[in-house]
Amino acid sequence: MQYDYCVIGGGIVGLATAMRLLQRHPGASLILLEKEDSLGRHQTGHNSGVIHAGIYYPPGSLKAELCRKGAEATKAFCSEHGIPFDVCGKLLVATSPLEVKRMEALFERSKSNAIEVRQVGQGELREREPAITGLGALLVPSTGIVGYGEVCRAMGRVIAALGGELRLSTRVTAISEAVDAVTIASEGSSWQARKLVVCAGLQSDRLAMLAGLPIDHRIVPFRGEYYRLPAEKNGIVRHLIYPIPDPDLPFLGIHLTRMIDGSVTVGPNAVIGFAREGYPRLSLAPKDVADYVAFPGFWKTVLKNRKSALSELRNSLWKRGYLEECRKYCPGLSLSDLLPHAAGIRAQAVRRDGTLVHDFLFAGTDRMLHVCNAPSPAATSAIPIADMIVDRLSA
């Protein structure tokens, strides 16, 4: 059978894309292929569950626009499908004079992003969050939390109700394009589709190369290691508590995150992983390591970011160092408060020249579109990202 559309990848971006294709093209035939036995198993199922507002992104940028639209669309989708979410707000806390300057610059930039952001003085910060210490903060009231795994399952139900076919435990082994169709093969099965969309996350570069596309990047896995606070400290914060980000670093830093189940996590850090999909601490996949070690861009980016890389590695190996990052704004925490929690792995696209790709990266042909990089906040922005993909397919 030939389908109108095939989507590879059962994370939130692939699911949102399949859903939007069927909503925009009623009656179209679609199959979604996912190598795992359930949906949202990797980046989507291992993130912090935040519905981001988009304060960090340059005004007028695609990321800012997609995040703002995505936050609204995610909340609307959750309301429609009875998925619990909580708009608890976020506080970005400055703990030093340098961070106060960065906070003020971020506030000025945020005015152009059409997001409600308010400066909070030291007294109000103490009143709002007695356990948090800082010189001031930015309050982003519209930030929320949700379980993105539940969002994925709801999207899967929508796809099935619209006539889409979901194939789990299906690992793609070959992709070939002809004039009128793309053939996708798995062990013992094959399918044809007029259009193919690949949203493969941690495996996106491999699927692009499998399809014969010339790409100049590789995926480097970055582990985000979290801890969980004991249940008796679930009420330690009312908002999400984030540090003021260093504009020279690609990651946001360790934060306190309320989860939709009532727990509170601390993290993540960002250390180079030794397996793309290995979540336990000592996971090692030699093929994954060989892929990035043999890629010249990896060594260039390590050299460029060696100071922060060494700091992150130190805190990963030394729990007390990790704790001190938290204690900058939450001094009441102790080592015994940092309980084990599942890690996440971020698919970071790195170019041959060592540049970390921070924006969306696509590759494709007349009949294929590969999402090679869908940066944070891709979970928040999944629905408008899907709209953008559908527009590209229709162009």
Side-chain angles (χ1 to χ4, degrees):
M1 175 180 176
Q2 180 170 313
Y3 293 85
D4 292 313
Y5 301 103
C6 175
V7 176
I8 298 175
I12 195 168
V13 174
L15 289 162
T17 298
M19 181 178 73
R20 280 306 206 221
L21 281 168
L22 291 170
Q23 289 172 336
R24 300 256 293 264
H25 302 286
S29 56
L30 180 146
I31 185 168
L32 184 145
L33 307 176
E34 165 57 43
K35 68 181 177 64
E36 304 296 349
D37 60 5
S38 60
L39 301 172
R41 281 282 296 276
H42 293 295
Q43 292 185 105
T44 306
H46 287 83
N47 64 29
S48 56
V50 177
I51 305 173
H52 289 281
I55 183 175
Y56 305 107
Y57 313 118
S61 68
L62 184 59
K63 287 177 74 171
E65 179 186 358
L66 290 174
C67 189
R68 186 173 61 252
K69 290 180 177 178
E72 295 173 1
T74 299
K75 293 169 188 174
F77 183 86
C78 291
S79 296
E80 181 181 354
H81 293 275
I83 299 170
F85 69 98
D86 181 7
V87 183
C88 56
K90 173 197 292 187
L91 283 165
L92 289 84
V93 179
T95 59
S96 69
L98 175 59
E99 288 185 353
V100 169
K101 289 183 180 179
R102 289 173 177 166
M103 179 183 73
E104 291 169 349
L106 184 59
F107 177 67
E108 289 303 314
R109 194 173 73 175
S110 73
K111 291 178 181 177
S112 303
N113 266 342
I115 301 165
E116 182 186 355
V117 181
R118 189 164 66 79
Q119 287 184 304
V120 169
Q122 198 168 12
E124 185 181 350
L125 174 62
R126 190 179 305 112
E127 183 180 332
R128 285 180 171 273
E129 295 288 359
I132 299 301
T133 298
L135 302 178
L138 296 180
L139 172 63
V140 188
S142 61
T143 300
I145 52 175
V146 72
Y148 282 111
E150 185 57 40
V151 174
C152 283
R153 289 185 285 274
M155 287 181 172
R157 292 192 291 271
V158 172
I159 292 164
L162 292 171
E165 186 177 343
L166 298 169
R167 289 284 187 98
L168 303 178
S169 302
T170 302
R171 184 182 295 272
V172 172
T173 57
I175 300 172
S176 60
E177 183 179 8
V179 174
D180 58 348
V182 180
T183 300
I184 306 99
S186 182
E187 293 180 4
S189 301
S190 66
W191 305 267
Q192 286 192 329
R194 290 191 307 106
K195 293 287 181 76
L196 169 67
V197 184
V198 181
C199 305
L202 286 156
Q203 306 295 335
S204 60
D205 55 341
R206 289 173 176 165
L207 270 292
M209 290 186 286
L210 188 68
L213 296 180
I215 58 172
D216 74 339
H217 72 277
R218 291 293 183 274
I219 293 297
V220 175
F222 278 83
R223 281 177 61 83
E225 297 168 332
Y226 293 87
Y227 290 97
R228 175 178 51 84
L229 297 186
E232 60 268 22
K233 292 203 171 179
N234 283 352
I236 193 170
V237 290
R238 303 187 184 104
H239 306 73
L240 309 183
I241 308 297
Y242 277 60
I244 298 295
D246 183 340
D248 294 329
L249 299 179
F251 305 111
L252 297 179
I254 292 169
H255 41 272
L256 284 171
T257 306
R258 290 179 51 200
M259 307 295 282
I260 200 64
D261 65 2
S263 63
V264 176
T265 62
V266 180
N269 60 358
V271 292
I272 294 169
F274 299 121
R276 295 195 187 195
E277 298 174 358
Y279 300 100
R281 189 172 181 82
L282 299 178
S283 296
L284 171 64
K287 179 184 176 184
D288 294 346
V289 176
D291 271 358
Y292 63 70
V293 165
F295 184 62
F298 168 73
W299 297 106
K300 291 175 183 176
T301 197
V302 167
L303 185 63
K304 194 182 304 181
N305 297 284
R306 59 189 180 277
K307 184 177 178 181
S308 62
L310 287 171
S311 175
E312 294 285 347
L313 179 60
R314 168 186 173 272
N315 291 339
S316 173
L317 297 174
W318 190 44
K319 191 175 178 180
R320 186 171 294 278
Y322 196 111
L323 174 67
E324 289 309 310
E325 291 297 314
C326 314
R327 284 172 56 87
K328 287 178 182 178
Y329 52 81
C330 191
L333 293 179
S334 63
L335 278 177
S336 62
D337 291 326
L338 301 185
L339 305 178
H341 189 75
I345 300 176
R346 172 175 171 169
Q348 177 62 60
V350 178
R351 292 191 184 275
R352 188 168 290 274
D353 65 0
T355 303
L356 297 175
V357 181
H358 298 305
D359 211 341
F360 296 93
L361 182 63
F362 298 95
T365 64
D366 290 342
R367 296 195 173 274
M368 293 190 295
L369 180 62
H370 289 247
V371 182
C372 296
N373 196 58
S376 179
T380 299
S381 307
I383 293 175
I385 291 171
D387 286 326
M388 182 174 65
I389 290 170
V390 174
D391 289 342
R392 283 177 175 246
L393 288 177
S394 303

